[in-house]
Amino acid sequence: MATTSIAPATASSLPKEELLQAYREMLLIRRFEERMAQMYQQGKIGGFCHLYIGQEAVAVAAQHALRPDDYMITSYRDHAHPLVRGTDPMRCAAELFGKEAGVARGKGGSMHFFDVERNMYGGHGIVGGQIPVATGMAFASKYREEDRVTMCFFGEAAMNQGTFHESLNMASLWGLPVIYVCENNQYGMGTALERASAVTDLSRRTAGAYNIEGYAVDAMDFFATYELFKKCADKARQENRPTFIDAICYRFRGHSMSDPVHSHYRTKEEVEEMRKKDPIRVMVRHFDENGLYEEAFLKDVDKEVKEHVNDAVKRAVESPDPGLETRWEDVYTD
Amino acid sequence: MPVIEFREALNQAMCEEMERDESIFLMGEEVGLYNGAYKVSKGMMDRFGARRVVDSPITENSFVGLGVGAANVGLRPIIEVMTFNFAIIALDQIINNAAKMRYMSGGQLKTPMVIRGPGGAAHNLACQHSQAIESFLVHTPGLKVVTPSTPYEGKGLLKSAIRDDNPVCFIESEVMYGMKGEVPEEEYLIPLGVSNKIRDGGDCTLVSYSKMIHVCMEAAQKLSEGDGVECDIIDLRTLRPLDMNPVYESIAKTNRVVIVTEAWPMCSMASEISSLVAEHVFDDLDAPPARVSSEDIPRPYASNLEHAASVTPEKVVQAVKKVCYLAD
């Protein structure tokens, strides 16, 4: 079974306009989360809050490789996925502030972003817990003979949970249209990949064991990531075969808002070095080298995105708290 | 009226529902080709095919989780666990996903699935295969828990569980699968959340569910014949939602209650019901509520030890006599 290595960045098969949209989405995630980090520090957001900053190319590439009716489901590092699917950032911010207008009516918080209308199925807090759920969604697509694809995201640390192995076994056994995307930011909290995984070339862990084709990609590079996601989505759609992708990325922030960017487990120098591979910078460089968009124009786009985020945050702050009676709602359905 | 086994009543419930709704599938270990570890799904793979009757690997946590995902996007899975002892492996998916998906999505998702299989003790199966774990499940908001006592109840309750849009844990009993009872040919459903008084007597109220109902019936018979003591028996049928009104009404008449469960006593349905009775109808009581549970030890293998640890009609008789002040 083939295990391909990191694909090189190539000229994108996406049209110029769609690339601009992808750039906007990368910025939307970045600016939204930077703003949320501020709000967290001001005490406006409670609980755990895991930022996606540094990993933006993964969610954005997924959005462009998938159809709107394809399913997405992820872990608790979940702010980016609804944002790329088109959820109003005001509703995402409102969830973090515990407001009625939030994507889970203020019942989920940072770890439980859901937008079912846009086929974004959460937001799951138990490491690896969403992987069987994703497998069931893909099971349903095959059962109903739909050509929908499920893309399931998780961190590399989740690959050591039983659910990962159990799910891949079933998906391969039954030929389910699911793409397992490991957002490999190289640290499970403060534990480096090589300190937790006996085999660090992650795509090799699936091919031999479960007869699932595994790929690795430099996921700081939107273009390479998009091409691989597209290929795997086509395979799932056309052949009902699962695939595994080791999307090698990096988080520029701590595991969550409660821990520092670097401490005992990684050095400041390492983080600084990785910042040179910032996926937004990689994208801007690509635009520049290929004469697609000029820097001044891209800066204007950034400014627009910031204004959009600030406006969303303002509206979310001003929106009402949930009524106390709503806490008894949504436990059961009639 | 036809007399059929409990397993056949459950089989009929699943088959009838699968005939009327294409979105229902059955998944579990040995449910298909092998016809079910306890033959509850006998003939179903032949009838519905391997697409809808799916033999799973031994992967409890993940095939329960698969059921959650399938339910969230519109299917109606029936997930068979070979026994609820093995559902302990799947408690993460049951408690963290099945039960919570609706709430944590702010009402966007439904999880219409049934997790069913035998619970409680059988004979000489020792610690890991003989435990009544319903308390683990009942504790969790978002789940429904159903514990049928007869073939008739099993069929009517399972059909309702399958049609319910919430996750339902449907706990059967290994030693009841061969139990026979009358089951009408015409369709019927028994609603979830409605307790049922199955015996009338003015002296003491017995509250129970599942196979302990039969222990209560035997005890009530002994009490009637031997001591002239007559018991009301309330079959709770579903533990969540819990319908306590028939219990309160009965206690208003008998002024005494004995709660009989196969689970361990600590934090059990017995302790919950005892507490509810004390909170709601304290003034109706002429004696403290009494509990009869399995002894608070892992279940031993040796027959004499196992019997001593179990709930028996004799223990129930003794508890009733005590609350009636006929024994110490």
Side-chain angles (χ1 to χ4, degrees):
Chain A
M1 185 63 61
T3 294
T4 64
S5 57
I6 297 169
T10 53
S12 178
S13 55
L14 286 170
K16 187 182 168 185
E17 296 71 28
E18 195 170 343
L19 289 176
L20 181 63
Q21 177 60 22
Y23 174 70
R24 273 185 206 281
E25 288 158 357
M26 303 268 280
L27 284 171
L28 176 62
I29 299 165
R30 178 71 56 95
R31 301 306 174 218
F32 176 85
E33 289 207 318
E34 285 170 346
R35 192 79 176 84
M36 291 309 117
Q38 290 172 351
M39 299 302 276
Y40 193 93
Q41 278 149 357
Q42 290 169 25
K44 304 279 190 208
I45 297 171
F48 297 134
C49 184
H50 309 85
L51 300 183
Y52 199 72
I53 290 175
Q55 304 180 204
E56 292 92 340
V58 183
V60 177
Q63 171 64 7
H64 290 270
L66 296 177
R67 294 193 321 218
D69 65 335
D70 290 335
Y71 299 128
M72 273 192 198
I73 181 168
T74 189
S75 72
Y76 45 79
R77 199 175 299 283
D78 62 348
H79 302 163
H81 306 79
L83 286 173
V84 298
R85 294 239 106 173
T87 307
D88 184 346
M90 179 273 187
R91 295 188 56 222
C92 296
E95 188 61 35
L96 294 170
F97 304 153
K99 302 288 192 162
E100 168 69 27
V103 284
R105 304 183 70 200
K107 288 172 175 164
S110 169
M111 297 188 284
H112 305 302
F113 276 21
F114 285 78
D115 191 342
V116 170
E117 198 183 313
R118 292 177 178 79
N119 293 303
M120 163 55 196
Y121 280 74
H124 297 267
I126 306 297
V127 172
Q130 77 279 19
I131 304 176
V133 177
T135 308
M137 293 159 69
F139 178 90
S141 297
K142 185 172 185 190
Y143 186 92
R144 289 192 286 230
E145 297 176 9
E146 299 167 341
D147 65 347
R148 277 176 200 237
V149 169
T150 297
M151 193 173 266
C152 175
F153 303 89
F154 46 86
E156 80 289 342
M159 285 182 62
N160 301 320
Q161 286 278 37
T163 48
F164 173 80
H165 300 274
E166 295 178 1
S167 295
L168 266 73
N169 182 51
M170 289 192 287
S172 183
L173 190 64
W174 296 329
L176 303 182
V178 54
I179 305 165
Y180 296 103
V181 178
C182 174
E183 294 179 321
N184 176 6
N185 64 23
Q186 304 176 46
Y187 294 93
M189 240 178 122
T191 302
L193 172 63
E194 64 273 15
R195 294 180 61 227
S197 181
V199 174
T200 54
D201 181 355
L202 298 178
S203 58
R204 295 181 64 86
R205 288 175 66 177
T206 65
Y210 305 112
N211 190 28
I212 289 182
E213 283 180 27
Y215 302 91
V217 67
D218 174 3
M220 305 300 266
D221 181 341
F222 164 83
F223 305 96
T225 309
Y226 164 78
E227 297 298 337
L228 181 57
F229 282 4
K230 186 76 174 62
K231 175 177 154 174
C232 293
D234 290 345
K235 187 174 182 69
R237 214 180 301 286
Q238 287 152 21
E239 301 170 34
N240 267 333
R241 281 304 301 172
T243 44
F244 169 82
I245 296 171
D246 176 12
I248 301 166
C249 54
Y250 201 80
R251 64 170 153 73
F252 294 148
R253 299 296 183 107
H255 166 72
S256 78
M257 281 303 294
S258 1
D259 64 305
V261 171
H262 49 81
S263 59
H264 301 293
Y265 71 93
R266 65 180 188 184
T267 62
K268 188 179 175 189
E269 291 69 34
E270 178 187 303
V271 178
E272 289 310 313
E273 191 58 30
M274 289 306 292
R275 280 188 192 282
K276 293 177 189 162
K277 292 188 67 185
D278 185 322
I280 296 178
R281 284 168 66 174
V282 171
M283 186 176 243
V284 169
R285 199 182 312 135
H286 178 96
F287 288 162
D288 182 50
E289 284 168 3
N290 291 278
L292 290 171
Y293 294 105
E294 289 180 4
E295 204 182 327
F297 171 73
L298 295 174
K299 279 194 173 152
D300 285 344
V301 173
D302 192 2
K303 205 174 148 204
E304 275 170 39
V305 170
K306 276 183 191 158
E307 280 166 11
H308 180 49
V309 167
N310 286 337
D311 173 62
V313 170
K314 184 165 177 288
R315 284 186 292 129
V317 168
E318 288 165 357
S319 72
D321 289 339
L324 284 180
E325 71 287 356
T326 64
R327 75 189 189 279
W328 286 96
E329 296 167 3
D330 308 323
V331 183
Y332 294 96
T333 180
D334 296 332
Chain B
M1 201 183 295
V3 173
I4 61 171
E5 289 186 347
F6 192 78
R7 59 165 62 81
E8 196 182 341
L10 300 173
N11 181 290
Q12 284 182 3
M14 288 193 286
C15 290
E16 286 176 19
E17 293 305 300
M18 285 179 72
E19 289 290 357
R20 65 182 280 281
D21 186 347
E22 169 75 17
S23 68
I24 301 168
F25 69 93
L26 172 67
M27 177 180 284
E29 294 152 5
E30 310 290 0
V31 296
L33 201 58
Y34 191 84
N35 277 315
Y38 297 101
K39 307 300 171 209
V40 175
S41 56
K42 190 176 174 185
M44 288 179 67
M45 186 183 250
D46 284 345
R47 182 163 172 184
F48 295 102
R51 173 174 164 264
R52 298 186 66 195
V53 178
V54 186
D55 279 322
S56 71
I58 300 175
T59 300
E60 285 91 1
N61 196 30
S62 291
F63 69 68
V64 170
L66 182 151
V68 173
N72 289 158
V73 297
L75 297 188
R76 306 185 75 85
I78 303 171
I79 302 295
E80 179 174 308
V81 287
M82 197 182 283
T83 85
F84 265 88
N85 299 290
F86 309 155
I88 296 171
I89 296 173
L91 279 183
D92 176 52
Q93 289 297 328
I94 297 172
I95 292 174
N96 276 318
N97 284 350
K100 310 281 171 55
M101 207 62 94
R102 183 163 185 80
Y103 200 79
M104 71 184 182
S105 69
Q108 293 179 69
L109 291 176
K110 292 194 291 195
T111 308
M113 72 187 291
V114 175
I115 302 163
R116 51 153 289 273
H123 300 298
N124 304 108
L125 294 179
C127 303
Q128 296 177 333
H129 281 68
S130 284
Q131 42 200 342
I133 67 155
E134 60 269 22
S135 310
F136 302 4
L137 304 164
V138 170
H139 192 60
T140 308
L143 293 179
K144 293 189 177 183
V145 180
V146 182
T147 48
S149 60
T150 66
Y152 175 86
E153 296 281 319
K155 182 174 179 185
L157 288 167
L158 183 52
K159 284 170 71 82
S160 293
I162 293 169
R163 292 188 196 185
D164 201 285
D165 274 343
N166 298 284
V168 181
C169 295
F170 191 92
I171 306 176
E172 302 152 13
S173 161
E174 250 166 280
V175 297
M176 277 167 57
Y177 282 135
M179 177 180 286
K180 289 184 173 174
E182 288 188 335
V183 173
E185 281 176 89
E186 60 276 14
E187 178 169 72
Y188 66 96
L189 284 91
I190 299 173
L192 307 187
V194 181
S195 297
N196 187 28
K197 187 157 91 167
I198 58 167
R199 189 182 192 282
D200 249 320
D203 301 318
C204 181
T205 302
L206 288 172
V207 181
S208 193
Y209 51 90
S210 187
K211 76 166 181 277
M212 287 297 118
I213 285 292
H214 306 283
V215 172
C216 290
M217 290 293 277
E218 198 180 325
Q221 189 68 23
K222 284 179 194 289
L223 283 159
S224 175
E225 289 168 1
D227 305 277
V229 172
E230 297 299 336
C231 293
D232 264 9
I233 300 180
I234 310 293
D235 181 354
L236 293 174
R237 285 177 164 162
T238 64
L239 308 184
R240 202 188 244 275
L242 180 63
D243 173 22
M244 284 294 286
N245 287 330
V247 176
Y248 300 149
E249 284 163 17
S250 174
I251 292 171
K253 179 181 69 175
T254 64
N255 314 115
R256 291 167 173 83
V257 62
V258 173
I259 307 130
V260 182
T261 68
E262 193 178 26
W264 295 299
M266 177 77 88
C267 301
S268 66
M269 278 311 291
S271 39
E272 176 64 23
I273 291 161
S274 177
S275 171
L276 287 169
V277 165
E279 285 170 27
H280 292 272
V281 292
F282 186 79
D283 291 342
D284 288 337
L285 291 170
D286 284 346
R291 296 183 283 164
V292 183
S293 307
S294 286
E295 288 185 341
D296 200 15
I297 52 173
R299 198 169 177 90
Y301 163 75
S303 296
N304 65 330
L305 301 182
E306 182 180 51
H307 182 75
S310 304
V311 175
T312 60
E314 292 71 27
K315 288 182 184 176
V316 177
V317 165
Q318 197 57 28
V320 172
K321 284 187 180 177
K322 197 174 168 191
V323 297
C324 293
Y325 301 116
L326 298 170
D328 290 333

